[in-house]
Amino acid sequence: MPDKSDPMEMVLQIINSDEPDYEKAQELGPEVVAPLSQLIQGKDVLLAMKAVSLASRIKSEKVVDLLKQAAARPEPEIRVAVAGALGNVPGEQIDNLLNQLLDDKDFGVRKFAIAAFAATRIESAKGKVQSIAKSDPEPFLRNVADYALRGEEPPMDLYLMSTDNKADQ
Amino acid sequence: MPSTRSQSGYLIQSSSGTVGHFELVVPAPCGGLAHYWRNNDASGLPWSGPNSFGSGNWSNVALLQASWGYLEVVGQQGGRLGHFWRDFAWHGPDVFGSGIAGDPAFIQGRFGTPGNFEVVAPLAGGGLTHFFRDNGPLITQPWQGPFNFGSTLAYQGVALIHSRYGNLEIIARRGADLDFYWRNGSRWEGPFTIARGVANGTPAFIQSSFGRVGNFEVIVPRLGGGLAHFWRDNDDPRMPWHGPFPFGTGNISAVSFIQSSFGPGNLELVAREGNRLAFYWRTAGPPWTWNGPFYFAEQTIRLHFKMLFNPTSFTTAQMLDGMRQVYQTAGVRVELVSTEQLSLPALVDTNVGACDWTGPTSQQVALFMNRNGVSPGDLVIYFVRTTVPTLNGCATHPGGQPGAIVTSVASQWTLGHEVGHVLGLGHVGPTDRLMMGGGTWGITNPPPDLDCGEVDFIRGNSLTR
């Protein structure tokens, strides 16, 4: 049994699962910031990604700092996790981070950053989204940015667009 | 049709049908016994079953068709012997003996009229014991015995025949060695060790029609995998044993074989590999090569891989191998039917939401639209780079489109774990189980297990067929 007084054990108990129940993060607070930071900066990419998904849901003022640490990682999978987690954080705290991720070179990061803009409507990011809608090399991202600016859900068949430009393999 | 009742084993050729069905009784994965039969009159020689009977954990059993037509079974459970019989339904067990440890042998010999039942079994304290039942004039006589022999040597399994010499003859496994005994009047002669360092399971023993007198043929699960065949040349006055002649594959725990009515007397064999049943056969002439294994009484689950992103921790081949290792213990064969590359960059990272009973997200629905002609009863596995939020995999799928997502950072067991969810299995606590909720990266004592309830659940799902 994990030691309930050990914050790292509490974190690992949740994120080691194949399908973590991130809703359990609502029971966690500042006590898990240190272990989450350790995992986000650690060598295990999977644990770093899951730590990001968990970190975005805890009750702490340090959430954005954790996400910024993760956004600095070179592995695009971790940055995708950050972009995907932005929607869980109050909008006023993430404008810089959102703007940074809208400029990311990775397709998936930009896709989820646009989705975060659509969810948060952060005004400072609107220019970047307009730029993507106008000139991103990826047709899918141009389209999905356009829908985000109009406040509309992209149609499902938009996700079925094929292109030669793939995520970093 | 040659009678198989004077040789022990769990495979026989009965008098059912015109040619004579093959009949088989083995312990069922979740307790009790399972009866299978092969219709040798039907094209394709289909196996049917299981017809289940009994309860609890049984050893390997011995099956025969008595001279009055009933199927009769003797097995060991909890140190005691149990006798079942079938007229139109299975009856029993009639319990007898005590202190038994291992797989018993059971025949209807030629002593008495219509032929006594003879049982030999290993004893927990060492040595062997013999029981018999006088079947005339009533077939409800009590079992007589025990009559112990074989000193204090520790045996794990035994095979018995009533030979054409008129003797009871035994092959018994003692660790990796095989000992031979024969009964001379009322006195058992032996042990005579015929092989050392080769056996890894319960042996089988027949007297074939090969040679003028009829050779003795012994097959035993072999240390290191597969099977080993020995034979004794009964035409040679020195009666030398030859072998081992290895064949087959897999980690086999027990074997049973017969000389059937096919051809000039083919050898036909069923080996137990975990809960899998493997059939082999060999013609009664050169080149004497064994054909098989042919796995039967298995169910199949059919997978199609759709590749959006290649896994980075394990290859799809390693994941498939891991899943096969686990599912074969449930008697379920995992077939990879197709692999297709999908160029869907917008779904390489897929939003899966809560990945629970609330249902698929619009991105999952879009992803699962790419079945591309896959049959409704087949599962499609979509390999993506990541999910948002981060999961190893997700089994939530649109109705009527069974399948799952597996991410690039999944463990070797995630594929089997997610398919388990698709088949209706939930999370469990123990760390040596496929469905452990604590994460398949942390599985201990691999390959992980399925418990009996999970096996029943998987085999009962319409997606396994």
Side-chain angles (χ1 to χ4, degrees):
Chain A
M1 289 293 289
D3 181 354
K4 289 285 186 185
S5 65
D6 182 339
M8 179 62 91
E9 280 295 307
M10 292 164 64
V11 168
L12 291 176
Q13 188 191 18
I14 295 173
I15 68 174
N16 274 337
S17 173
D18 282 60
E19 309 94 357
D21 179 2
Y22 291 113
E23 293 304 311
K24 290 180 180 171
Q26 293 177 0
E27 304 162 11
L28 305 176
E31 73 279 4
V32 296
V33 168
L36 285 172
S37 177
Q38 185 181 335
L39 292 168
I40 284 170
Q41 297 179 81
K43 288 182 179 176
D44 189 319
V45 173
L46 174 59
L47 288 181
M49 293 160 64
K50 288 180 172 176
V52 169
S53 295
L54 187 68
S56 68
R57 292 166 167 84
I58 67 170
K59 293 173 182 167
S60 169
E61 296 174 351
K62 301 289 187 184
V63 168
V64 176
D65 292 338
L66 291 170
L67 298 184
K68 284 180 178 173
Q69 284 180 353
R73 290 289 300 254
E75 299 89 347
E77 295 91 342
I78 299 175
R79 300 198 305 279
V80 169
V82 177
L86 288 180
N88 301 324
V89 185
E92 64 276 11
Q93 300 176 26
I94 60 164
D95 52 354
N96 289 341
L97 193 51
L98 177 58
N99 274 285
Q100 175 189 331
L101 296 176
L102 285 166
D103 279 336
D104 200 283
K105 64 181 181 182
D106 186 84
F107 181 107
V109 177
R110 298 205 300 285
K111 169 189 154 182
F112 281 99
I114 294 167
F117 168 78
T120 60
R121 313 302 300 179
I122 293 173
E123 193 61 26
S124 69
K126 190 172 181 180
K128 286 271 172 57
V129 178
Q130 287 172 328
S131 175
I132 290 172
K134 185 178 177 185
S135 59
D136 195 284
E138 296 291 349
F140 167 79
L141 294 178
R142 291 199 300 271
N143 277 291
V144 83
D146 194 46
Y147 279 101
L149 289 166
R150 285 187 272 139
E152 296 176 14
E153 282 284 318
M156 198 176 301
D157 58 3
L158 192 62
Y159 291 100
L160 303 178
M161 290 179 68
S162 180
T163 175
D164 292 334
N165 298 312
K166 299 178 182 175
D168 294 343
Q169 179 81 56
Chain B
M1 175 187 326
S3 167
T4 52
R5 73 177 61 100
S6 62
Q7 64 191 46
S8 63
Y10 51 75
L11 171 68
I12 66 168
Q13 185 169 18
S14 74
S15 61
S16 298
T18 303
V19 176
H21 294 355
F22 291 167
E23 315 264 356
L24 174 76
V25 174
V26 290
C30 297
L33 295 166
H35 173 211
Y36 298 88
W37 61 100
R38 194 180 88 169
N39 185 343
N40 287 330
D41 297 333
S43 66
L45 305 173
W47 285 92
S48 299
N51 178 9
S52 300
F53 63 100
S55 62
N57 294 320
W58 289 91
S59 66
N60 289 299
V61 301
L63 164 71
L64 60 81
Q65 184 174 31
S67 53
W68 49 90
Y70 290 9
L71 295 183
E72 313 262 350
V73 166
V74 167
Q76 180 264 129
Q77 182 183 95
R80 305 208 67 191
L81 295 164
H83 172 215
F84 295 88
W85 64 99
R86 194 194 77 171
D87 41 25
F88 300 103
W90 285 100
H91 305 279
D94 174 17
V95 176
F96 63 101
S98 62
I100 309 297
D103 298 338
F106 170 43
I107 65 170
Q108 184 178 16
R110 297 188 298 279
F111 300 122
T113 303
N116 296 344
F117 284 164
E118 313 276 355
V119 170
V120 175
L123 284 167
L128 299 162
T129 191
H130 175 215
F131 295 85
F132 73 92
R133 197 184 83 173
D134 182 348
N135 286 322
L138 299 172
I139 59 172
T140 54
Q141 301 291 319
W143 288 90
Q144 298 183 53
F147 305 101
N148 298 347
F149 63 102
S151 71
T152 57
L153 298 171
Y155 291 103
Q156 294 81 43
V158 61
L160 165 70
I161 65 170
H162 192 162
S163 73
R164 278 168 227 146
Y165 300 110
N167 302 326
L168 298 182
E169 320 237 9
I170 285 171
I171 295 289
R173 178 170 82 94
R174 179 169 46 81
D177 300 344
L178 295 177
D179 286 348
F180 173 71
Y181 291 84
W182 64 284
R183 198 178 71 173
N184 180 9
S186 60
R187 191 177 75 248
W188 286 95
E189 306 284 353
F192 307 99
T193 300
I194 67 162
R196 295 186 190 279
V198 67
N200 192 38
T202 297
F205 178 26
I206 70 169
Q207 185 170 18
S208 71
S209 62
F210 305 137
R212 291 190 310 278
V213 176
N215 295 335
F216 286 174
E217 315 273 349
V218 171
I219 297 178
V220 65
R222 182 169 160 263
L223 270 179
L227 296 155
H229 180 201
F230 297 84
W231 62 282
R232 194 181 84 172
D233 184 350
N234 286 335
D235 293 339
D236 185 326
R238 296 169 298 148
M239 296 180 174
W241 284 94
H242 300 274
F245 301 100
F247 67 101
T249 185
N251 186 17
I252 296 169
S253 60
V255 60
S256 182
F257 74 112
I258 58 174
Q259 187 167 27
S260 76
S261 63
F262 284 92
N266 292 349
L267 299 184
E268 320 260 0
L269 178 156
V270 171
R272 295 187 63 211
E273 272 185 62
N275 289 320
R276 301 180 90 186
L277 298 171
F279 179 76
Y280 295 75
W281 64 278
R282 197 196 80 174
T283 56
W288 311 107
T289 50
W290 285 92
N291 302 285
F294 305 102
Y295 296 99
F296 64 98
E298 283 193 313
Q299 291 177 289
T300 300
I301 188 163
R302 288 161 53 94
L303 302 183
H304 301 258
F305 287 174
K306 307 290 187 188
M307 307 303 302
L308 286 78
F309 197 90
N310 289 330
T312 54
S313 300
F314 289 92
T315 65
T316 54
Q318 290 171 317
M319 293 183 187
L320 185 64
D321 178 64
M323 180 177 170
R324 282 177 169 153
Q325 287 181 52
V326 178
Y327 280 68
Q328 74 176 24
T329 66
V332 174
R333 190 169 69 90
V334 180
E335 180 181 357
L336 177 61
V337 182
S338 71
T339 300
E340 181 185 8
Q341 301 292 324
L342 291 182
S343 178
L344 295 170
L347 295 169
V348 164
D349 303 294
T350 302
N351 183 345
V352 296
C355 184
D356 62 9
W357 55 270
T358 55
T361 64
S362 60
Q363 291 184 32
Q364 285 172 289
V365 172
L367 182 62
F368 280 73
M369 288 168 68
N370 294 277
R371 288 178 69 86
N372 302 343
V374 169
S375 301
D378 293 1
L379 276 74
V380 178
I381 308 299
Y382 298 92
F383 287 89
V384 303
R385 184 171 67 168
T386 70
T387 61
V388 169
T390 305
L391 311 176
N392 295 11
C394 177
T396 302
H397 57 272
Q401 297 176 323
I405 292 172
V406 173
T407 70
S408 63
V409 287
S411 80
Q412 186 180 14
W413 313 110
T414 298
L415 172 64
H417 179 96
E418 297 304 334
V419 171
H421 283 317
V422 175
L423 298 175
L425 302 183
H427 283 157
V428 297
T431 59
D432 58 355
R433 298 263 296 278
L434 178 69
M435 300 311 295
M436 74 170 280
T440 55
W441 276 103
I443 275 175
T444 54
N445 193 27
D449 301 327
L450 295 165
D451 78 2
C452 283
E454 290 168 329
V455 168
D456 278 348
F457 213 88
I458 287 173
R459 291 181 66 94
N461 192 295
S462 62
L463 295 171
T464 57
R465 55 193 190 277

